[in-house]
Amino acid sequence: MSGQQTTHSTASDQTSPTLIDCDIHQKWADPQELVEYLPKQYRDRGVQAPDILYDNVAEFSRRDAVPDDGGPAGSSVEKMKTHHLEEFGVDYAILTGNSYLNLTALPNRDYAAELAIANNKWVIDNWLSEGGPFVGSLLAAPQKPNRMAEMIRELGDHPRVVQVVMPMASQLPYGHEHYWPMYEAAEEMGLPIAMHPYTEGHGVTRPPTGAGHPNTYFEWHTLLGTYAMGQLVSLVAEGVLAKFPDLSFVVIEGGLSWVPHFLWRMDKNWKALRAQVPYLQKPPSEYIRDQVRFTTQPIEEPNNPEHLLQILEMMHAKDTVMFASDYPHWDTDSPLYALPPMPDELEQAVMAGNAQELYGLPDDPESLPTDRT
């Protein structure tokens, strides 16, 4: 932010992680890597998913993140380690996937579910087996919630699987009971559910904005936070957070500045309209503070850094905010410059403490097994 480097001072316990990156995008070098994990009836079809509709003229990923062998950015374990993780001293990299989030916008829900499962097995075999800082997410295709619940119970006990990730966009708002089998499974397995943008307006999902389909990537990217707001209000108002009190959600890549307004507006409406949501036994902001976490990238960058600190205070950031870089995408945030200087306690919570608590990560990443044995 404005060229001010943060120090990221270590916590009093020097053995605790000081930097946990909650949005790292790994990718396969060739879709054929995934095909061998598909059921036989889908192998001839290969990997097919709707492509993004909005082009970024600066390209979607950083050119300097391309591996030396020329594969896609994010496809090389070694390149990711040397170019980002070791460069900044990242203790844990939470892998969230890449453009294959789009498979969840496919109209064929059976194929979409099997693609998601194939992806997850590929991630376990090719990334989580590396150990070190890598922990990962199970991609879920919400079109098929019962099959995804089975998958969460089957693969969710891997010691390096720490969450389930779904697209921010969906056919129905995520509070709808259609999705509840996934939530039951995730809560049972102790896995938070993250929501990540990319699929808005693609395939079977809804338009990317409340006003309809925008014209440019500029518009689409600017309004990602509005989709997060729609999903979050649905999760609260439909009673998901109340019904699943041990289930947490993570809002990734949706921005932050809207959160104080959102909390205030929901609490105000709840006071007058609570008869419509009798299962909410406390103000919505309290459910969100207890069960929802927000990642930093793309962080707002006001000219006066104090304004961002005020926003962080209003949204209880010492309990609710976690650092994310979005590496290797075009707008990657540097752990050194993305955030303003903060009080030590807040900085430790945002840069590592909140994520360590949410995901139940041990102090030493090497103590996590790389398989179930």
Side-chain angles (χ1 to χ4, degrees):
M1 162 174 285
S2 304
Q4 297 185 50
Q5 180 175 341
T6 52
T7 58
H8 304 311
S9 58
T10 57
S12 56
D13 181 357
Q14 296 292 315
T15 64
S16 299
T18 59
L19 182 56
I20 297 176
D21 192 334
C22 295
D23 191 21
I24 296 273
H25 296 287
Q26 86 286 0
K27 188 177 178 66
W28 54 66
D30 187 317
Q32 281 300 118
E33 294 178 34
L34 202 65
V35 171
E36 63 182 276
Y37 291 92
L38 282 170
K40 187 175 180 180
Q41 69 266 33
Y42 293 120
R43 290 180 185 170
D44 289 341
R45 184 171 177 175
V47 179
Q48 297 178 357
D51 200 1
I52 190 168
L53 298 174
Y54 299 98
D55 291 330
N56 181 342
V57 294
E59 301 182 9
F60 200 74
S61 294
R62 293 167 50 173
R63 292 182 180 178
D64 62 346
V66 172
D68 296 337
D69 64 5
S75 64
S76 165
V77 170
E78 291 307 314
K79 178 70 176 183
M80 185 178 289
K81 283 182 176 177
T82 57
H83 191 226
H84 183 73
L85 305 182
E86 294 172 0
E87 173 73 17
F88 295 107
V90 177
D91 295 295
Y92 280 103
I94 313 294
L95 301 174
T96 52
N98 206 306
S99 55
Y100 33 94
L101 280 165
N102 267 11
L103 64 86
T104 58
L106 284 164
N108 187 321
R109 55 186 178 273
D110 298 303
Y111 174 58
E114 296 309 319
L115 273 176
I117 294 169
N119 167 76
N120 296 332
K121 292 180 177 177
W122 172 83
V123 171
I124 289 172
D125 286 350
N126 291 274
W127 285 84
L128 303 191
S129 63
E130 289 289 327
F134 295 114
V135 292
S137 312
L138 295 177
L139 176 62
Q143 306 99 310
K144 195 78 170 178
N146 286 317
R147 182 73 176 106
M148 293 297 94
E150 293 174 358
M151 180 271 293
I152 291 169
R153 293 187 172 98
E154 177 187 350
L155 302 179
D157 66 345
H158 190 284
R160 285 182 175 264
V161 166
V162 298
Q163 71 180 356
V164 177
V165 63
M166 306 193 300
M168 195 79 81
S170 57
Q171 291 176 276
L172 296 169
Y174 278 144
H176 197 287
E177 61 187 3
H178 170 75
Y179 301 111
W180 289 15
M182 290 190 303
Y183 304 155
E184 292 172 358
E187 184 181 54
E188 177 184 317
M189 300 302 293
L191 298 173
I193 292 182
M195 299 181 291
H196 192 294
Y198 192 75
T199 59
E200 296 74 24
H202 305 164
V204 296
T205 67
R206 303 295 183 186
T209 80
H213 289 273
N215 193 41
T216 63
Y217 183 94
F218 166 76
E219 296 165 82
W220 173 79
H221 195 268
T222 299
L223 293 170
L224 291 180
T226 62
Y227 227 106
M229 293 175 71
Q231 297 290 17
L232 193 51
V233 74
S234 176
L235 289 169
V236 174
E238 295 265 21
V240 171
L241 300 186
K243 181 174 177 60
F244 303 97
D246 296 323
L247 179 62
S248 296
F249 285 84
V250 182
V251 178
I252 298 176
E253 212 169 321
L256 298 173
S257 62
W258 52 271
V259 176
H261 153 79
F262 181 82
L263 298 178
W264 176 85
R265 175 59 62 182
M266 285 202 79
D267 281 359
K268 183 177 187 299
N269 283 348
W270 175 74
K271 292 174 183 175
L273 304 170
R274 59 195 299 177
Q276 295 184 349
V277 287
Y279 32 80
L280 298 184
Q281 299 299 308
K282 56 187 180 182
S285 64
E286 294 187 21
Y287 285 103
I288 292 171
R289 184 173 181 175
D290 291 342
Q291 293 176 251
V292 180
R293 300 293 176 262
F294 303 87
T295 62
T296 55
Q297 195 280 340
I299 192 72
E300 286 78 3
E301 299 180 64
N303 290 331
N304 183 348
E306 287 295 325
H307 293 167
L308 179 55
L309 291 176
Q310 291 168 3
I311 290 172
L312 294 175
E313 181 181 1
M314 285 188 284
M315 64 181 296
H316 313 288
K318 70 179 182 62
D319 300 317
T320 62
V321 175
M322 308 188 298
F323 174 79
S325 71
D326 196 30
Y327 179 87
H329 289 168
W330 66 280
D331 50 350
T332 301
D333 271 353
S334 165
L336 299 180
Y337 293 100
L339 300 174
M342 295 180 285
D344 288 349
E345 183 181 6
L346 176 59
E347 179 181 301
Q348 195 278 332
V350 170
M351 302 307 290
N354 288 337
Q356 185 178 16
E357 180 181 7
L358 177 70
Y359 297 121
L361 300 172
D363 286 345
D364 180 9
E366 297 294 349
S367 69
L368 270 179
T370 57
D371 55 37
R372 294 187 178 89
T373 57

